[in-house]
Structures are given as C-alpha cells and as structure tokens.
Amino acid sequence: MKYLKFLIVGLIFGVILTKSEVISWYRIYEMFRFEAFHMYGVIGSAVILGIIAIQLIKRFKMKDVDGNPIVIQPKAKNKWAPLLGGTIFGCGWAMTGACPGPIYILIGNGFLMFIVVLLSAILGTFVYGMLDGKLPK
Amino acid sequence: MEWIKSPWPWYVGGPLITFIMVLMLFFGKSFGISSTLKTVCSIGGAGKLSEFFKFDWKEQVWNLFFVVGALIGGYIASHYMTAHQAIELNIETKTALISSGILNPGAEYVPTTIFSWDNLFTLQGFVFMVVGGFMVGFGTRYADGCTSGHAISGLSNLQFPSLIAVIGFFLGGLFVTHLILPALL
C-alpha cells in the first residue's frame, strides 16, 4: 500500500505536535503576547535545522526514494498574496489557536469542536477559490 | 520512559518537525498541510465552479493520508503518551486569562469554555471557531501556504515570499490578539 508511509509519517507528526504542545490555543496566545519562548524555540530551531538540511540536500544533490533529485518547488514570486493572505491567516490562527495541521491533530485529541473549525476552513478555502484571480497577487 | 509522558521541550519538538519535513522530501513530497483543504474542495466537486479547483486530486491523496495519520497521532499521544494535559503557562499570561474570565487557563490544551457546542452560537464562540476557521482556510490558500509550507519549508529553503507570508502571519496574529481578543474574552 503505497500511501501507508504517509499515514505513518503523519501519525508521528501528530504525536510530535501534541507532545510539544504546539497544538495548544494557549501556546499561540502566549506567542502573540511575547510571554514565552516555547513557540519561538520550536519554529526557530525547526527553521535553522531546516536551512542546514536543505543546504546539504542541495550540496550533495541527494535523491529521493524513487531516485529522483530532491527539488523544492519554489512558491510564486508574489508580494501581495503572501502579505494579505498571510495576514488573514494570522488573524484566524490567533482566534482558533490552530494552523491547519493542528486542526486535524486537535480533533484526534478529542476536541471535537475543531470539526467545526475544519469545516469553516474548508469553506474559507472554497470561497478563496471562487475569488482566485480577482484579488491582488 | 517518564520523558514520553511529560511535555516535550521546544528543543525536542522543533528538530523533530525538521525531521518530518526532510523525511517527506525523501519520499518525494513537499511538506504542506493547508493544500489538503483545497483537495477536499476539489473532491467535493468544486472544480465545476472554479478553475482553481480543477486539478487531478488523485495526485494529492498521499497528503490526505498524512493528515488522517496526524489525527490518529493526536489520539495516540493524548490517550497513551500523556500523564496530564496541563500547560505551564507564563504567570502573566495566566493572570491575564483569569482576569478575563477563563477559570483554569492551561488545564487542557484548549479553553473548553470557549470551544464548546454551547458557545458556538454566541458571538464569542462564532468568532473563535467559525470566523477563525474561515480565515485560516481563506488566508492559507490566498498566501499559498501555512505554517508548514511557508514558515517551515519555505523559510528553510530561503524563499522570499515565505518571509513575507510569515511577517503577515504575525501582523494578523498580533492585531487579533491585542485588539480583537480583549473585546471577546
């Protein structure tokens, strides 16, 4: 079953984000009030190690399990879309205390109200899709 | 095995997130979770209404397995790997939350008085769950990524648009936390 490995990696991801409290509304609230280092430590260390890892992957031209070179698709070189979209997402992040990954993980943690958050997020994505091309990029 | 049941510090969580990102690259995929919301719209037939959803969603099924796995991981971690789900909050955060009426801040991962069925049809609950969820879905698609795609993968790959997006995440988050939430808590 070719998808099983993604289920397992996702499962490990769910455990990591639960155990390191990244999915907690309180941790996000604290972060935006600059009252704890925790989230800055998590994101900061992930990014610093990520930069090193990706530099090594590029330097040694590493290949994936299928033998294809590992390439990271660059995002479109827009200014307004990441700024405005990012700001809208940031508002939602502060309200729900959850970005998309944690929404799924919180449902697994038994906070079933996040099913409502997930459905709203799907609706938000749908409405964006209907407006795509009409908003500043 | 005591460390498994106690909360993991940032220097364990952060590096493990990098590990997940690298593992996904070795599996030939890029780490990004908000795309699953787009895939769900496409499976639901949104491609009939907008070109934006017209793509072969079967190419994205792997990511749905990833998020279903994440959900199961959340279940396993909370049921078998957690002694008690209390968070050690900064005393200032705690005091601020108590004074705004949250009885036991940090007792669980989520303030369950806000995130409850009873509260869904109040202004507070509607904003926190429905408006908040909508903005997460809308904003991540407009920005073309969320915390995983922009903050972790994008910044790791030194992509300039991701830096702009992360600045946006903080502009929005600071605005809501300091100017909107005080009126609702």
Side-chain angles (χ1 to χ4, degrees), chain B residues 100-177:
Chain B
S100 48
I102 292 179
L103 292 177
N104 207 347
E108 289 180 89
Y109 276 6
V110 166
T112 42
T113 47
I114 296 174
F115 292 87
S116 71
W117 295 109
D118 290 341
N119 207 27
L120 184 57
F121 298 105
T122 66
L123 177 67
Q124 186 196 53
F126 188 77
V127 170
F128 274 73
M129 291 177 266
V130 180
V131 176
F134 186 92
M135 292 180 92
V136 168
F138 188 97
T140 51
R141 211 63 276 123
Y142 188 7
D144 193 25
C146 59
T147 332
S148 52
H150 271 311
I152 308 292
S153 309
L155 289 185
S156 291
N157 196 32
L158 307 173
Q159 295 176 166
F160 190 61
S162 294
L163 182 63
I164 302 178
V166 174
I167 292 170
F169 298 172
F170 269 83
L171 288 177
L174 292 173
F175 169 72
V176 164
T177 303

Side-chain angles (χ1 to χ4, degrees), chain B residues 54-103:
Chain B
K54 215 175 264 178
F55 60 94
D56 185 11
W57 56 261
K58 291 187 187 73
E59 296 283 311
Q60 290 292 319
V61 169
W62 63 270
N63 213 356
L64 297 180
F65 275 81
F66 183 89
V67 294
V68 169
L71 192 150
I72 299 169
Y75 179 86
I76 292 174
S78 61
H79 279 75
Y80 305 109
M81 298 171 64
T82 305
H84 56 86
Q85 213 186 45
I87 294 183
E88 298 250 348
L89 290 172
N90 180 322
I91 190 72
E92 280 175 45
T93 315
K94 211 166 177 171
T95 317
L97 285 167
I98 291 171
S99 67
S100 48
I102 292 179
L103 292 177

